[in-house]
Amino acid sequence: MAERIQDASTTIGMVLYPGVTLLDVAGRYEVFARLPGVHVALLAAALDPIHTEQGMIIVPDTRFNDTAFDVLFVPGGPGQMDVIEDQHFLGYIRRYGEVAKWVTSVCTGSLLLAAAGLLRRRCATTHWLSMDLLECLGVKTVPERVVIDGNRITAAGVSAGIDLALVVVARLISEDVAKEIQLLIEYDPKPLFRSGSVRTADKPTIKRVTSQRRALQERRRAQIERIAVRLTDNEGCGD
Amino acid sequence: MAERIQDASTTIGMVLYPGVTLLDVAGRYEVFARLPGVHVALLAAALDPIHTEQGMIIVPDTRFNDTAFDVLFVPGGPGQMDVIEDQHFLGYIRRYGEVAKWVTSVCTGSLLLAAAGLLRRRCATTHWLSMDLLECLGVKTVPERVVIDGNRITAAGVSAGIDLALVVVARLISEDVAKEIQLLIEYDPKPLFRSGSVRTADKPTIKRVTSQRRALQERRRAQIERIAVRLTDNEGCGD
């Protein structure tokens, strides 16, 4: 491991935590880990196995430390609620983000970046169900799949991590390498329905999903409002 | 766990092995594990943590056993070469496949289904680099992202697992639930380039990737030719 880090010309810190969404992590990981000369560290507060959102267990390989990574990546998932008020966790996110060349997230990972003060007065995106919560933290939201503002690159929900990863590779390494990886993972998507976005899904589907997620989103909102009050330059958020 | 299986109306067996591609697994898992009334078993020959292709460790939760699953899912990855001649492994794949309502795979997982005799005289697909190898095992290949032949559903490389999963959900549960999950994982792909398929990628990219993978594919071919000879009804394969 130490040897790989030493050899690697680019280092990527992927932050893991219990309740993270597996596909948020895997989409990014599958692209980044294939890069020549790149070391991906699977960062966590402890090295214990982590139960992802739906239960599958993954194992981090690097405890939070003082390393400076070229790219910080923060995935989302319901577990984000358990770490967003953890000052030890947020402190590391903030320190990694302050020195990284690229600060990136997918899904509700951007709520964590925002809570760490890394998206202040920036444009960003998140999972469609949490766009209002990101605004609440003083972020200007943009309803795009991948949003770039300076060295901050954020992506929409879950599967958007693959698109984000290719954007980052094209900027970090080269467009040629991004194309190679896209071909290698055969990313030529053919979704069964036009139901992947609130802009294309039919209304009954949006209504059902919103209803299924209502309790979770209400818990998120109560917490985000509390955090927003603590963040400087933020005057809270209305409905 | 036993309780969850008992409560579940549908059971899905996802086969894991060392060197499996994480995104092959995660794309499917993220869709299936969200289904109400469905139990996903992460099956493996042993319960030891598994190093996936690029190194990230995942943990299976169910040892191969005599359960009958409604859906069998076999992912791909270079580790497929280490299990494709393992008769203990193949025996389980065959037995699960013979009784499952749906037999499914992504990427080079279809080589495993074929070696287990589950794709004989069927139409199927696999990762574009391995299409000739699948033919070599007596399978009629179809260059589509998802191929359905009876109760066999196979998908192209790596990321095609997400598309496959939605197809299976639409048939197994309902189109409404497939749409809900597509919206929940915000699967509204916007690939950076048109480089996800040999039908759209530019020639230099295809050439570079083919060259990078040449040694691996040659090892695969030597092994598949050996296996093809052993499979009944198969007269070997030419170049």
Side-chain angles (χ1 to χ4, degrees):
Chain A
M1 174 80 63
E3 204 175 327
R4 283 183 63 195
I5 293 181
Q6 210 166 15
D7 289 349
S9 56
T10 302
T11 56
I12 295 172
M14 294 188 72
V15 175
L16 305 181
Y17 50 86
V20 69
T21 299
L22 180 65
L23 188 53
D24 279 34
V25 176
R28 273 300 286 273
Y29 182 76
E30 207 59 64
V31 171
F32 280 174
R34 288 171 190 273
L35 295 170
V38 166
H39 172 73
V40 179
L42 300 169
L43 291 166
L47 295 184
D48 305 323
I50 282 174
H51 287 259
T52 60
E53 177 186 359
Q54 302 294 335
M56 195 189 292
I57 295 171
I58 59 176
V59 185
D61 59 24
T62 310
R63 206 188 301 264
F64 285 152
N65 59 42
D66 295 332
T67 307
F69 293 97
D70 296 307
V71 180
L72 170 68
F73 170 63
V74 181
Q80 151 270 321
M81 288 187 285
D82 297 322
V83 290
I84 198 168
E85 293 183 283
D86 174 339
Q87 294 310 315
H88 175 80
F89 182 95
L90 281 190
Y92 275 105
I93 301 288
R94 188 178 303 117
R95 284 192 290 279
Y96 288 133
E98 281 168 352
V99 297
K101 288 181 198 151
W102 296 99
V103 175
T104 70
S105 68
V106 64
C107 201
T108 50
S110 54
L111 296 176
L112 293 172
L113 290 185
L118 294 166
L119 292 180
R120 198 169 293 160
R121 298 192 197 89
R122 298 277 191 161
C123 290
T125 192
T126 184
H127 191 282
W128 62 274
L129 277 166
S130 291
M131 290 291 262
D132 57 333
L133 306 186
L134 191 57
E135 294 239 336
C136 188
L137 294 174
V139 180
K140 182 170 164 36
T141 61
V142 181
E144 297 288 341
R145 191 141 174 96
V146 176
V147 173
I148 304 174
D149 182 350
N151 73 339
R152 268 53 167 181
I153 312 185
T154 53
V158 191
S159 63
I162 305 176
D163 298 307
L164 173 84
L166 293 173
V167 168
V168 174
V169 169
R171 287 173 177 247
L172 188 70
I173 315 282
S174 74
E175 293 202 347
D176 276 352
V177 171
K179 284 181 187 173
E180 287 167 21
I181 294 179
Q182 190 183 340
L183 183 57
L184 206 50
I185 65 168
E186 214 158 348
Y187 188 48
D188 176 37
K190 300 269 190 300
L192 186 58
F193 305 105
R194 281 174 48 81
S195 188
S197 145
V198 275
R199 291 174 292 285
T200 56
D202 57 50
K203 282 192 181 144
T205 301
I206 296 172
K207 204 170 161 187
R208 287 197 306 278
V209 172
T210 307
S211 163
Q212 288 157 17
R213 283 286 169 135
R214 182 155 295 129
L216 179 70
Q217 288 305 112
E218 278 172 8
R219 286 211 310 281
R220 271 198 167 116
R221 165 166 282 272
Q223 187 184 38
I224 291 291
E225 285 177 347
R226 197 162 61 226
I227 294 165
V229 171
R230 290 203 297 264
L231 280 179
T232 50
D233 299 313
N234 193 301
E235 295 164 10
C237 49
D239 272 299
Chain B
M1 174 81 62
E3 205 175 326
R4 283 183 63 195
I5 293 180
Q6 209 165 15
D7 289 349
S9 56
T10 303
T11 56
I12 296 172
M14 295 187 72
V15 175
L16 305 182
Y17 50 86
V20 70
T21 299
L22 179 66
L23 188 53
D24 279 33
V25 176
R28 272 301 284 273
Y29 181 77
E30 206 59 63
V31 170
F32 281 173
R34 288 173 190 273
L35 294 170
V38 167
H39 173 72
V40 179
L42 300 169
L43 291 166
L47 296 184
D48 305 322
I50 282 174
H51 287 260
T52 60
E53 178 185 0
Q54 301 295 334
M56 194 189 292
I57 295 171
I58 60 177
V59 185
D61 58 24
T62 309
R63 205 187 302 262
F64 286 152
N65 59 42
D66 295 332
T67 307
F69 294 95
D70 297 306
V71 181
L72 170 67
F73 171 63
V74 181
Q80 151 270 320
M81 288 186 286
D82 298 321
V83 290
I84 199 166
E85 293 182 283
D86 174 340
Q87 294 308 317
H88 175 80
F89 182 95
L90 281 190
Y92 275 105
I93 301 288
R94 188 178 303 118
R95 285 192 289 280
Y96 288 134
E98 280 167 352
V99 297
K101 288 181 198 151
W102 297 98
V103 175
T104 70
S105 68
V106 64
C107 201
T108 50
S110 54
L111 296 177
L112 293 172
L113 291 185
L118 294 167
L119 292 180
R120 199 170 294 161
R121 298 191 198 91
R122 299 277 191 158
C123 292
T125 192
T126 184
H127 191 283
W128 62 274
L129 277 167
S130 290
M131 290 291 262
D132 57 335
L133 305 186
L134 190 58
E135 295 238 338
C136 188
L137 294 175
V139 179
K140 182 170 163 36
T141 60
V142 181
E144 296 288 340
R145 190 142 176 96
V146 177
V147 173
I148 304 174
D149 182 350
N151 74 338
R152 268 53 167 179
I153 312 184
T154 53
V158 190
S159 63
I162 305 175
D163 298 307
L164 173 83
L166 293 172
V167 168
V168 174
V169 170
R171 287 173 177 249
L172 188 71
I173 315 283
S174 74
E175 293 203 347
D176 276 353
V177 170
K179 284 182 187 173
E180 287 167 21
I181 294 178
Q182 189 183 341
L183 183 57
L184 206 49
I185 65 167
E186 213 158 348
Y187 188 48
D188 176 38
K190 299 270 189 301
L192 186 57
F193 305 105
R194 279 173 48 81
S195 188
S197 147
V198 275
R199 291 174 290 285
T200 56
D202 57 50
K203 283 192 181 143
T205 301
I206 296 172
K207 205 170 163 188
R208 286 197 307 276
V209 172
T210 306
S211 163
Q212 288 158 16
R213 283 284 169 136
R214 182 156 295 130
L216 179 70
Q217 288 306 112
E218 278 173 7
R219 285 210 312 281
R220 271 199 168 114
R221 165 166 281 273
Q223 188 184 38
I224 290 291
E225 284 176 348
R226 198 162 61 227
I227 294 166
V229 171
R230 288 201 298 264
L231 280 180
T232 51
D233 299 313
N234 193 301
E235 296 165 9
C237 49
D239 273 298

